[in-house]
Amino acid sequence: MSLIDEAARVRERAYAPYSGFKVGAAIRAEGGRVHLGVNVENAAYPEGTCAEAGAIAAMIAAGDSRIAEVAVIADAPRPVPPCGGCRQKLAEFGGPDVPVTLATLRGAREETTIGALLPGAFGPSDMEAS
Ligand code: THU
């Protein structure tokens, strides 16, 4: 199954009763394992979490730490750009050349990279003492 198909399948389990906007994310870690996430909203709206954040949490909990590939899908008029916070979260665990596929259920696809989504990202190497 393709990474987008994995994201589409898990998207059905998203918990988005407030926005009605379900998102699925799939991350292939270095080593090949796939980790899945969905958006999980909350009655206290700002407490909701994005699908990408869920997939990252699943990756870390499973013992992987480096992202090799990302896929995100929603039922939208155009492929949904990850929010700013998720761009930063992805950049923590994946290099700038890591491919990101943004997709819609209607078949649109946009291929980008973590580096294109967040040029000049602040990352762990920026905190190394000189
Ligand atoms: N959302 C994601 O899960 N990922 C994105 O890339 C964009 C937005 C979620 C957050 C919220 O639950 C809903 O979509 C509407 O913003």
Side-chain angles (χ1 to χ4, degrees), residues 19 21 23 39 41 50-52 80-83:
S19 72
F21 190 72
V23 184
N39 53 332
E41 297 183 346
C50 289
E52 296 90 327
V80 173
C83 77

Side-chain angles (χ1 to χ4, degrees), residues 15-16 19-25 38-42 45 48-53 72-74 80-83 86 102:
Y15 178 77
S19 72
F21 190 72
K22 293 183 167 192
V23 184
V38 296
N39 53 332
V40 180
E41 297 183 346
N42 192 280
Y45 293 171
T49 52
C50 289
E52 296 90 327
V72 182
I73 192 163
V80 173
C83 77
C86 285
L102 307 173

Side-chain angles (χ1 to χ4, degrees), residues 3 6-7 12 17-18 26 29-30 36 43-44 46 50 54 68 81 84 88 95 105 111 120:
L3 206 58
E6 301 253 24
E12 292 167 18
Y18 306 108
E30 289 181 2
L36 305 175
C50 289
Q88 182 66 36
L105 289 189
E111 304 290 343

Side-chain angles (χ1 to χ4, degrees), residues 122-130:
F122 173 73
S125 66
D126 295 304
M127 296 183 69
E128 286 166 13
S130 53

